[in-house]
Amino acid sequence: MTYDEYLDGKPVVVTAALTGGIQGKEAHPDLPETPDEIAAAAAAVEAAGAAVVHLHARRDNGERAFSTERFQAVTDAVRDATDDVIVQHSTGGTAAPDALRAEPLRTDPAPEMASLDMGPMNRGRRLTSENTRDTIDGLHAEMRERGIKPELEVFNNGHLNESFRILDDLADPPYLNLIFGPGTLAPPSPANLQRMVDQLPERAEFNVIGFGPHQLPLTTQSLLLGGHVRVGLEDNSYLRKGELATNEALVERTVRIAEELGRPVASPAEARDLLGVESRR
Amino acid sequence: MACPHLDYRDSDGERQFDTARAFCTVTEEFVQPVHADICTERYGLDPEADCEVYRAEAGLDWDE
Ligand code: SF4
């Protein structure tokens, strides 16, 4: 979690966010949506060096789905298509009621990891992902019960406070995901990323997401600070200006940069050890 | 219920979709999946109250 760890060549965990729930094929013609498409993308990013896949589920028409049934279809397809990659389910969702938000945790087997949003995030004029304390605590309790490693989604500085609130209830190491972008996300800048990292407890591991054009610079900065990285089409559609990306190409680029900088890329087994994730393979 | 401006289309002129996707007849564009929750009045969302496009088309100010 420090520059010293970068100097020591600490392995980096690469997470690929393949799909998301925000945009669909209207934004990127090859964004994977069906279980088969998501599974093919998962196999490709695992081969490219991703240790974790962050999964959302969709309805047949591309709209978001939260049901255990839809997540089961995605997770079965992904587990069949991959060797050892860690499966992480999203529990995030604009306006979706709490009962639905817990459904992605109830697949069989349970996901090894799941995202846990640490507070509100706005979209558009009236769309809000509320993420009340009640929602956070309810989802967290269910994750603990099912042995699922939570990945705390910190959309801005205030969400660090919420993370610290539950710090004592988290198994070591606490794993915080620092997210930078527009709107109610933390303003994307190297200084803001450094400041967030400076405030983390020593025993925490952190991961960085930069939306859109901030994906490349801020994940690279995370490599230098001993952090982990998430890339993928959920967060960024382009490899460079005007050139649509694939999930695989985004992971390949991250792996190239990490290795060039002296950070070996963690295998799924190494990532489980580093992050304290229970294997379900 | 759904927004009166919501249509489901299975082609964008170039590509064919296996299942028809949410299309807004005001903007003449496919709708983002996250926004389709408003178009379909899912989770208590409501086009008249919550959609910028609907309100602009209806001439509604946000303080009305
Ligand atoms: S975008 Fe707005 S106006 Fe268009 S269909 Fe959806 S709710 Fe209706």
Side-chain angles (χ1 to χ4, degrees), chain A residues 136-244:
Chain A
I136 294 168
D137 291 350
L139 289 170
H140 185 205
E142 185 149 349
M143 288 184 204
R144 222 172 16 210
E145 211 170 280
R146 305 211 70 202
I148 300 166
K149 176 83 183 182
E151 179 237 42
L152 274 48
E153 301 236 333
V154 175
F155 298 133
N156 58 52
N157 235 19
H159 295 182
L160 279 180
N161 289 331
E162 291 292 357
S163 304
F164 299 157
R165 183 179 66 81
I166 62 168
L167 206 60
D168 290 344
D169 297 332
L170 294 167
D172 276 342
Y175 187 47
L176 282 75
N177 191 12
L178 313 178
I179 304 170
F180 299 85
T184 47
L185 298 173
S189 76
N192 275 346
L193 171 50
Q194 178 70 62
R195 197 162 298 126
M196 289 255 247
V197 170
D198 287 345
Q199 294 175 76
L200 296 177
E202 237 172 57
R203 64 191 179 96
E205 293 285 337
F206 73 93
N207 179 66
V208 169
I209 297 178
F211 277 9
H214 307 290
Q215 183 171 85
L216 176 61
L218 295 184
T219 55
T220 301
Q221 187 184 357
S222 180
L223 293 171
L224 295 174
L225 296 176
H228 306 289
V229 303
R230 177 174 120 176
V231 293
L233 295 183
E234 171 169 353
D235 308 327
N236 168 35
S237 298
Y238 292 93
L239 200 54
R240 53 186 67 82
K241 204 168 183 185
E243 186 184 337
L244 283 174

Side-chain angles (χ1 to χ4, degrees), chain A residues 57-70:
Chain A
R58 303 293 188 105
R59 298 162 196 249
D60 289 339
N61 61 14
E63 290 167 28
R64 299 165 335 138
F66 296 92
S67 70
T68 304
E69 191 190 0
R70 299 297 297 197

Side-chain angles (χ1 to χ4, degrees), chain A residues 15-24 26-28 30-32 38 41 45 52-58 64 71 88-94 115 117 121 123 151 153 155 177 179-180 182 185 209-213 215 230-238 245-248 250-251, chain B residues 32 34:
Chain A
T15 297
L18 307 172
T19 305
I22 305 305
Q23 53 185 15
E26 80 293 335
H28 190 310
D30 298 324
L31 190 123
I38 296 170
V45 297
V52 181
V53 286
H54 175 77
L55 302 177
H56 288 247
R58 303 293 188 105
R64 299 165 335 138
F71 265 87
Q88 180 187 93
H89 289 178
S90 167
T91 65
T94 303
S115 61
D117 296 357
M121 176 170 57
R123 287 188 190 283
E151 179 237 42
E153 301 236 333
F155 298 133
N177 191 12
I179 304 170
F180 299 85
L185 298 173
I209 297 178
F211 277 9
Q215 183 171 85
R230 177 174 120 176
V231 293
L233 295 183
E234 171 169 353
D235 308 327
N236 168 35
S237 298
Y238 292 93
T246 63
N247 281 302
E248 190 181 356
L250 292 168
V251 170
Chain B
Q32 276 195 330
V34 69

Side-chain angles (χ1 to χ4, degrees), chain B residues 2-7 22-32 35-41 46-48 50-57:
Chain B
C3 175
H5 302 302
L6 177 64
D7 194 14
F23 184 88
C24 174
T25 57
V26 177
T27 59
E28 289 288 312
E29 288 177 346
F30 284 94
V31 176
Q32 276 195 330
H35 194 94
D37 288 343
I38 301 179
C39 311
T40 54
E41 301 192 15
D46 170 16
E48 183 171 346
D50 301 320
C51 177
E52 292 91 328
V53 176
Y54 183 102
R55 293 185 65 88
E57 173 75 1

